[in-house]
Amino acid sequence: MLNIKLPKGTRDFTNQEIRKRNFLINIIRKNFKLFGFSPLETSSIEKISILKKVYEKENQKMLFNVINSVDLGLKKNALIYDLTVPLVRHIKMNVSKTLLPFKRYQIQKVWRAEKPQNGRFREFYQCDADIIGQKSFWQELEIILLCDKIFKDLKLKIEIKFNSIKILKEIASYLGLEKKFQKFSIILDKYPKRNAKQTLSSIFKLGCKKEKIKRFKFFFTRKNTFKKNIKSLTKILKIKSISEIKNLKMLYKLSKKINLDSSKLTFIPTLARGINYYSGIIFEIFYKEEKLSLAGGGRYKKLINSFKLNDNLSGIGVSFGLDRIYNILDKKQILKRKTKDRLDHIMFINFGDKEAFYSTKLIKKFITYGISAFLYPKKIKIKKQIKYALKRKLRLVFLLGKKEKKNKILKIKFLDNKEEMIFKNLEEFITCSLNFQKIQKKT
């Protein structure tokens, strides 16, 4: 017997789920456009040789290789793991035609061969906004404002955590852990799930002196102010970190002055994400109520260098976790409230072949006006046709039987209150509908 199942980590979406997801995507897309980002769509397949060159071994294990194809050349390809590598590859291929700074947004599926978990899938959408060009501090501020505006529109209060990879590397150097930077970062990354004592003990086991570790106890005190954390870092770190500390101070100061609407900007010295990827300031957008990360990003240079682009170029971007945001909004029933209106389709009841043809001619006119309409395909009991319309959550149906056809009138039935109305022609119906919509908006 055929076992009909979806592959692990994949999903189907119903029409109601798609409407809710599209509502969310449209808010994100609208804000991408407002901030001057232009759309880009890249291939869903990339050459494995390119992907292996830019991803670490851990990420390479999660690539979906293309196999068993008639075109044997496809065996050298894989499905895309993220949207940033295809972006930089696109710029490399079109460098002479690309206007810099290049601001692009991309909303597209990606695939990762990792173990499916709650809220984690093998096939999912990423919503990215990136700027490629010469490095400018103002781009970091722009990304913060973009995140703030999106979550304001979604009515979610968030915390934007930020730190710097440069400063983390400087700290590792001070502790004598330059060669163990990755292990050091992994320990810091796990800190939210552990206590300070366990974390400091793990750092000590990497092989650094207790006196030096003690100087970083302030790292693990969330009550510390931004000013106090920065002052402590400035005392400890070498002069080459001063410019990055200035950037952090400026970013914090300007964000405070500009009055963020839905966000709290917090400097987290232990934040360590994308250490093999990012090269400067990093962000993580955190939803406190559910203790979930909803987006993340930062400044990157290594990927740009991998494609041997101009050495002056740098990238900065943010990626929004569509599924996690969707789940929160759905749980709060925000999406349900925003998309609860019935579908604006109009269904024509099927009274038989002659009436069906008459209805079809009207449907053609409706579609010309940009109004969605369709005919029920078979002549069955009217009650059953109306039952179908109710299940589809339609507002009304057209009842064009022999009498209506003969008198050249339009008869409609509202499905919520079962009232009926007669119209002389299509134009009268459209005018009446528009006036009704205006009244609804006012009330």
Side-chain angles (χ1 to χ4, degrees):
M1 190 176 178
L2 184 62
N3 187 15
I4 299 174
K5 280 184 179 180
L6 276 171
K8 283 185 180 179
T10 64
R11 296 157 293 168
D12 290 334
F13 296 108
T14 64
N15 66 329
Q16 289 178 333
E17 287 171 327
I18 289 168
R19 287 179 72 215
K20 289 193 280 189
R21 286 171 70 86
N22 284 346
F23 172 80
L24 170 57
I25 288 168
N26 287 338
I27 287 177
I28 295 171
R29 184 187 285 114
K30 177 193 77 176
N31 282 291
F32 284 163
K33 288 179 180 178
L34 283 173
F35 278 78
F37 292 88
S38 298
L40 178 71
E41 185 174 330
T42 55
S43 169
S44 294
I45 303 171
E46 291 282 348
K47 287 188 174 295
I48 286 178
S49 56
I50 290 174
L51 300 177
K52 284 189 174 180
K53 185 181 178 183
V54 297
Y55 292 135
E56 299 293 325
K57 284 184 179 180
E58 284 183 20
N59 301 115
Q60 288 179 28
K61 290 175 186 176
M62 289 193 281
L63 292 174
F64 267 108
N65 294 347
V66 179
I67 57 172
N68 296 332
S69 173
V70 176
D71 178 4
L72 296 177
L74 280 175
K75 288 187 176 182
K76 297 176 182 177
N77 301 326
L79 295 175
I80 55 173
Y81 173 90
D82 66 11
L83 299 177
T84 317
V85 171
L87 163 67
V88 180
R89 188 265 309 148
H90 170 82
I91 292 172
K92 176 66 177 178
M93 288 177 66
N94 300 277
V95 69
S96 60
K97 296 181 281 183
T98 302
L99 180 66
L100 298 173
F102 184 59
K103 297 181 73 176
R104 85 86 175 85
Y105 76 83
Q106 202 165 343
I107 302 170
Q108 211 171 316
K109 275 186 181 181
V110 297
W111 293 263
R112 293 183 186 179
E114 57 186 342
K115 189 178 179 180
Q117 298 173 39
N118 184 29
R120 193 181 288 270
F121 304 96
R122 287 176 172 171
E123 177 188 59
F124 57 95
Y125 277 90
Q126 278 195 337
C127 303
D128 288 14
D130 288 77
I131 308 167
I132 306 290
Q134 288 192 351
K135 184 180 177 181
S136 165
F137 159 80
W138 297 102
Q139 293 164 346
E140 270 83 351
L141 184 61
E142 185 177 358
I143 294 294
I144 285 175
L145 293 175
L146 170 66
C147 294
D148 182 61
K149 178 65 168 61
I150 286 173
F151 286 103
K152 178 192 174 186
D153 288 358
L154 294 173
K155 294 179 171 51
L156 292 178
K157 291 285 182 185
I158 56 158
E159 181 181 21
I160 302 176
K161 299 177 179 181
F162 74 109
N163 195 12
S164 169
I165 294 292
K166 282 184 181 177
I167 286 173
L168 284 176
K169 284 185 175 178
E170 194 64 31
I171 291 165
S173 177
Y174 172 83
L175 294 171
L177 300 173
E178 303 100 313
K179 293 179 181 179
K180 295 179 181 178
F181 178 63
Q182 189 161 358
K183 288 180 180 179
F184 170 67
S185 301
I186 290 167
I187 291 167
L188 289 182
D189 192 45
K190 287 179 180 177
Y191 165 61
K193 296 175 183 177
R194 307 167 77 196
N195 59 41
K197 191 176 179 180
Q198 288 172 320
T199 306
L200 289 166
S201 174
S202 296
I203 294 170
F204 174 69
K205 285 174 185 176
L206 289 179
C208 54
K209 295 177 181 178
K210 274 189 178 180
E211 309 87 71
K212 286 191 172 183
I213 293 174
K214 282 178 183 177
R215 296 195 72 184
F216 284 97
K217 276 190 176 180
F218 72 91
F219 253 46
F220 308 99
T221 309
R222 284 296 299 268
K223 290 179 182 178
N224 280 354
T225 62
F226 173 77
K227 194 175 180 180
K228 192 172 181 181
N229 278 328
I230 290 296
K231 191 177 179 181
S232 300
L233 278 173
T234 309
K235 278 182 182 178
I236 298 167
L237 299 182
K238 296 175 185 175
I239 195 74
K240 63 181 179 181
S241 290
I242 296 300
S243 63
E244 191 69 355
I245 287 173
K246 279 182 180 177
N247 283 340
L248 291 173
K249 285 166 78 174
M250 186 65 74
L251 192 62
Y252 187 80
K253 183 181 175 182
L254 292 176
S255 297
K256 285 287 182 186
K257 280 189 174 182
I258 215 160
N259 293 326
L260 299 175
D261 292 307
S262 66
S263 315
K264 179 188 174 187
L265 190 67
T266 312
F267 175 60
I268 305 291
T270 56
L271 181 65
R273 65 185 312 274
I275 57 163
N276 296 315
Y277 189 80
Y278 295 114
S279 57
I281 289 176
I282 52 174
F283 308 97
E284 186 163 26
I285 288 76
F286 196 71
Y287 181 55
K288 275 188 170 182
E289 205 173 302
E290 301 248 350
K291 296 182 179 180
L292 275 177
S293 173
L294 301 183
R299 170 73 60 183
Y300 53 90
K301 177 71 177 164
K302 188 178 175 182
L303 181 60
I304 304 285
N305 293 342
S306 298
F307 283 88
K308 296 182 179 177
L309 286 162
N310 190 314
D311 197 47
N312 292 326
L313 295 183
S314 176
I316 184 168
V318 61
S319 183
F320 293 86
L322 184 70
D323 290 301
R324 283 189 176 182
I325 298 169
Y326 173 89
N327 289 339
I328 288 166
L329 295 177
D330 204 36
K331 193 175 177 181
K332 286 176 165 284
Q333 295 196 318
I334 292 171
L335 294 172
K336 189 177 180 180
R337 291 197 298 271
K338 294 290 183 181
T339 57
K340 69 179 179 182
D341 289 338
R342 295 185 178 205
L343 296 173
D344 291 327
H345 301 306
I346 294 168
M347 191 182 93
F348 283 72
I349 298 294
N350 193 327
F351 286 91
D353 291 345
K354 288 182 180 179
E355 293 81 6
F357 181 66
Y358 180 64
S359 295
T360 301
K361 287 196 289 184
L362 274 170
I363 287 168
K364 187 175 182 291
K365 284 186 180 180
F366 266 106
I367 290 166
T368 305
Y369 279 103
I371 299 168
S372 176
F374 67 96
L375 173 73
Y376 192 84
K378 293 197 80 176
K379 182 192 172 185
I380 58 172
K381 286 182 180 179
I382 292 171
K383 278 186 178 180
K384 286 187 176 180
Q385 294 187 52
I386 288 174
K387 191 176 179 182
Y388 172 81
L390 284 166
K391 283 183 176 179
R392 282 200 61 169
K393 298 185 178 179
L394 304 185
R395 291 177 186 275
L396 55 87
V397 292
F398 267 71
L399 300 157
L400 302 184
K402 287 179 183 178
K403 186 182 172 182
E404 289 77 25
K405 181 176 176 288
K406 184 181 177 181
N407 295 326
K408 294 183 179 178
I409 57 171
L410 304 179
K411 185 179 178 182
I412 67 167
K413 182 171 186 170
F414 292 99
L415 298 179
D416 50 1
N417 57 19
K418 297 181 182 179
E419 287 183 8
E420 294 182 355
M421 286 183 73
I422 303 290
F423 296 93
K424 293 177 185 176
N425 51 48
L426 179 62
E427 286 71 24
E428 187 184 29
F429 168 75
I430 291 169
T431 304
C432 182
S433 297
L434 290 171
N435 289 334
F436 179 67
Q437 284 174 16
K438 285 178 184 176
I439 291 165
Q440 275 193 318
K441 283 180 182 177
K442 285 178 183 178
T443 56

